[in-house]
Amino acid sequence: MRQFFTLFLFLLFLQAVQAQLPSKFQGQGSIKAVSTESRPVQRQWKGVFTFPRGDVQFCNQFPAARLNGLTQENDSVYSILITSENTPVNGSPWYAFKVWSKRPRTINIKLTYQQGASHRYNPKVSKNGRNWSAVNGERVKRADDTLSVAYQFRIEVSRDTTWVAAQELYTSADVYKWAAALGRKMSWPLSTIGETHWGRPVMLLKAGNLQSRNRVLIIGRQHPPEVTGQLAEQAFVERVAANDSLATAFRERFLLYVVPLMNPDGVDEGFWRHNAGGVDINRDWQAFHQPETRAMRSLLEKEITGAGNKLWFGLDFHSTHDDIFYIVDPALRGSLPGFIKDWLQAFQQRIPGYEPNIKPLYSEGPTSTSFSYLFKNYGTEALVYEIGDNTSREFIIQKSKVAAEAMMQLLLERVP
Ligand SMILES: [Zn+2]
């Protein structure tokens, strides 16, 4: 009896210890694709918002802007409504707008979202749309509020424009400028693989040896607000472009297909999640109903694979609440057994104190996501590279360098 009591006390103690450990980000649950194709996408009214009282003005007339409604509560409080492109939608309320005032003053801004969506991104401000700093505010929820959890903050405004956004603004023009500059420097061809619903190009940068049959695929930004994933992706590709012996050897033996931005409509329209067809394109890799995923499928079938070409590794860059890697069930065998495990271990070895958060997210069933499609159809070692919304921008770069170096070393060693 006494032994039982001791055991009971010990179990209680264990529970108390566990409760105090910082909990690791659990990642998302199993993937379920919800069809939203029949839900029309709402266009955003664009222009300058003015008020009878005061001289503060807001504007959403620029790429990636999102500001759907605005009311002035009193002389210094403005309430902003942010809604999604259509519903149901993953609750990632993106917003971006400009504000100015004839006379310098302090204003309070309340962000409110459509019902069911909660606040995800704390605001950042900029005076030039390039350099951003975080603003502190607080979450608010009024008892009488029919809208979802809101966020309230205070900023100084003046004649000079102040930019406010959920993350640093990084539009399709910025991405393609980056790709074109890198392409020119490295003599890497930049081409178009297709067009979006609203006629924007989906661009492809081919990096490395154009004659090589050994291929790697990098895709990014299927989800518009995921700027940190974009930053990680670009730093990764830049490491492959570096002027050292490892990168040079890799570029001689491999050909890297980079589709840096899969959803330019969503990015430039300030969408929360979907493309202009109203669909989460990273749930469309089974149905292939959308122009962006169809262009990718055709590129894979006609060019990247087949005729003796082999796609060895595929990375899909995203952002979420915290850094995590979504992988294929390690029990399933791909083209390079052990590659993913060893690649993930490299992070631990090369970044002191860092332990990658890893979650298997595909074992069988429909391949609605890119990485599961690559694995199931081509045996490609594939994963989702997720960066936290608030991961330090320096760490994103550091980690991408390690990721690219480990990939280059392992592929050079193991691909026959
Ligand atoms: Zn995503």
Side-chain angles (χ1 to χ4, degrees):
M1 190 63 202
R2 193 164 156 180
Q3 274 170 338
F4 272 117
F5 186 66
T6 316
L7 181 67
F8 177 70
L9 279 182
F10 179 67
L11 287 174
L12 269 186
F13 167 76
L14 264 188
Q15 218 171 19
V17 168
Q18 274 172 347
Q20 287 187 1
L21 288 174
S23 61
K24 193 170 82 169
F25 175 53
Q26 296 300 306
Q28 68 166 79
S30 62
I31 305 267
K32 288 179 201 76
V34 179
S35 176
T36 52
E37 274 171 58
S38 62
R39 308 295 187 103
V41 163
Q42 195 162 35
R43 298 300 293 250
Q44 190 180 179
W45 182 86
K46 293 263 189 172
V48 176
F49 295 74
T50 56
F51 301 92
R53 277 184 297 152
D55 45 30
V56 177
Q57 297 186 337
F58 292 73
C59 168
N60 65 358
Q61 223 160 11
F62 58 96
R66 179 144 291 251
L67 192 179
N68 304 89
L70 185 55
T71 53
Q72 184 181 25
E73 291 191 12
N74 59 43
D75 278 348
S76 68
V77 178
Y78 295 83
S79 190
I80 282 179
L81 175 66
I82 305 295
T83 62
S84 62
E85 54 277 16
N86 64 346
T87 56
V89 66
N90 175 292
S92 303
W94 168 268
Y95 53 88
F97 52 87
K98 296 177 189 175
V99 56
W100 59 82
S101 164
K102 280 186 195 130
R103 281 164 300 154
R105 54 185 302 171
T106 303
I107 58 167
N108 290 289
I109 296 177
K110 278 184 189 172
L111 295 170
T112 61
Y113 311 114
Q114 71 203 30
Q115 213 162 12
S118 54
H119 179 73
R120 172 164 169 180
Y121 302 103
N122 284 356
K124 295 181 173 60
V125 292
S126 171
K127 286 290 179 194
N128 57 13
R130 293 281 144 210
N131 309 99
W132 297 83
S133 53
V135 188
N136 282 325
E138 53 179 1
R139 282 170 187 256
V140 281
K141 185 160 182 158
R142 293 197 312 253
D144 62 341
D145 208 336
T146 53
L147 293 165
S148 275
V149 177
Y151 195 82
Q152 183 173 315
F153 59 101
R154 184 186 293 227
I155 52 169
E156 310 293 327
V157 290
S158 67
R159 226 173 238 287
D160 297 328
T161 299
T162 299
W163 307 59
V164 179
Q167 291 283 32
E168 303 94 312
L169 282 186
Y170 212 83
T171 64
S172 73
D174 297 319
V175 178
Y176 294 151
K177 205 170 134 190
W178 167 83
L182 192 61
R184 266 196 309 275
K185 182 180 156 204
M186 303 299 295
S187 302
W188 288 345
L190 183 65
S191 56
T192 302
I193 63 163
E195 272 192 3
T196 62
H197 277 278
W198 289 347
R200 291 186 176 92
V202 179
M203 306 294 283
L204 164 70
L205 185 64
K206 282 197 241 181
N209 179 354
L210 298 175
Q211 264 69 54
S212 173
R213 295 189 176 286
N214 296 312
R215 276 98 196 260
V216 171
L217 175 65
I218 308 288
I219 61 178
R221 207 86 176 270
Q222 295 195 70
H223 300 142
E226 300 181 3
V227 172
T228 55
Q230 180 93 59
L231 299 175
E233 175 209 322
Q234 294 186 185
F236 185 99
V237 176
E238 283 167 14
R239 181 61 188 87
V240 174
N243 185 21
D244 69 341
S245 58
L246 174 63
T248 308
F250 180 80
R251 295 197 303 266
E252 276 167 17
R253 275 201 58 204
F254 288 86
L255 175 55
L256 194 73
Y257 283 78
V258 184
V259 179
L261 168 55
M262 267 200 67
N263 189 357
D265 282 347
V267 167
D268 290 353
E269 302 293 329
F271 288 174
W272 294 14
R273 182 78 171 184
H274 297 161
N275 69 346
V279 169
D280 180 342
I281 54 172
N282 202 29
R283 301 290 180 270
D284 188 50
W285 290 74
Q286 181 75 38
F288 289 98
H289 287 174
Q290 300 305 310
E292 298 85 355
T293 42
R294 281 188 182 185
M296 281 302 305
R297 181 177 62 179
S298 149
L299 176 75
L300 281 159
E301 286 172 358
K302 292 187 184 142
E303 193 178 327
I304 300 182
T305 68
N309 300 318
K310 178 74 186 164
L311 179 60
W312 294 102
F313 187 35
L315 289 128
D316 182 12
F317 285 88
H318 288 258
S319 309
T320 186
H321 298 283
D322 199 1
D323 292 22
I324 192 165
F325 293 103
Y326 293 125
I327 61 169
V328 173
D329 181 349
L332 302 180
R333 202 180 156 84
S335 305
L336 289 172
F339 170 81
I340 296 279
K341 183 173 146 271
D342 295 341
W343 182 77
L344 288 166
Q345 248 165 23
F347 289 92
Q348 222 156 346
Q349 286 157 4
R350 299 178 194 205
I351 307 175
Y354 172 69
E355 194 186 330
N357 192 358
I358 302 158
K359 182 171 181 176
L361 200 63
Y362 180 75
S363 56
E364 56 179 0
T367 60
S368 50
T369 57
S370 63
F371 86 112
S372 59
Y373 180 80
L374 296 178
F375 178 82
K376 192 169 176 183
N377 285 271
Y378 302 114
T380 302
E381 303 292 346
L383 53 81
V384 186
Y385 191 117
E386 296 267 6
I387 287 288
D389 296 331
N390 302 313
T391 299
S392 105
R393 286 9 182 192
E394 292 75 30
F395 186 65
I396 293 174
I397 310 285
Q398 184 194 0
K399 195 169 154 180
S400 282
K401 279 185 184 157
V402 170
E405 284 164 11
M407 172 195 77
M408 293 191 285
Q409 262 168 12
L410 288 168
L411 288 179
L412 281 168
E413 282 164 25
R414 297 188 189 180
V415 166

